[in-house]
Amino acid sequence: SDVTRRVGITFGYEDDIALPSRRRVTLRWHEPIRRVLLVKKQQQEAVLALAREIAAWLAAHGIAVIVEEEAISEFSGIPGITSLITGEGPHPLAAVDLVVSLGGDGTLLHASRLFRFLERGIDRLLPPCLVLGAGSLGFLATAPAEDWQSSIQYLVR
């Protein structure tokens, strides 16, 4: 499989509202999700335990899990976890199909900053984010953290 290419995504609108900023958008992956960047809130044992559970579930379902380099040791014992190392060659974030952000709004903002060096363009959108609220602020959360399995199952089916 091509590790430098992200799975294609199609966006569609669910409604007829004229203001684009208020429209509900659905998205559909053209192929199964292959690579997930898992970003978690730092220094919280409960969040780490949940992140390990999510990573193990994804890996067991054949999905490559990428975590930040400084967090790789926290995922020891889970097969197939790789660290996000930027350097020479194709940028590993260019092939991420989904970002799972486990924390609050600050964790999502941190995750978005990881993509700041990628080329942007109409055909180079940032990957979709599933925000699992496990922080003190959760205005941007897609779902509560405890609902992670049903949320992820819905996306990878």
Side-chain angles (χ1 to χ4, degrees):
S1 73
D2 186 356
V3 297
T4 62
R5 185 181 65 82
R6 180 182 308 151
V7 170
I9 299 171
T10 302
F11 293 89
Y13 293 105
E14 290 184 356
D15 52 34
D16 296 325
I17 295 176
L19 293 173
S21 64
R22 294 187 181 198
R23 295 190 77 180
R24 291 181 52 94
V25 176
T26 59
L27 60 99
R28 175 168 289 135
W29 281 268
H30 298 185
E31 304 164 43
I33 292 171
R34 297 182 300 230
R35 286 174 294 277
V36 170
L37 173 64
L38 177 59
V39 179
K40 66 172 190 58
K41 185 174 186 171
Q42 299 296 321
Q43 302 175 345
Q44 288 209 351
E45 288 302 316
V47 171
L48 173 58
L50 201 53
R52 286 183 53 84
E53 195 176 332
I54 292 168
W57 188 94
L58 289 167
H61 286 83
I63 298 169
V65 179
I66 304 164
V67 298
E68 293 179 87
E69 188 174 8
E70 57 272 10
I72 189 75
S73 64
E74 297 175 325
F75 293 88
S76 64
I78 301 172
I81 305 293
T82 57
S83 66
L84 175 63
I85 301 172
T86 57
E88 297 299 317
H91 199 290
L93 289 176
V96 168
D97 300 319
L98 174 69
V99 175
V100 174
S101 173
L102 181 59
D105 294 353
T107 306
L108 175 61
L109 293 171
H110 170 72
S112 71
R113 281 188 47 79
L114 296 174
F115 290 87
R116 69 188 177 275
F117 298 116
L118 288 185
E119 272 187 65
R120 302 282 167 70
I122 191 69
D123 61 338
R124 291 191 172 103
L125 299 172
L126 296 180
C129 296
L130 172 62
V131 183
L132 299 170
S136 50
L137 286 178
F139 296 112
L140 302 174
T142 310
E146 57 269 13
D147 294 343
W148 72 266
Q149 193 165 6
S150 61
S151 299
I152 291 175
Q153 280 177 333
Y154 179 78
L155 294 176
V156 301
R157 62 179 166 85

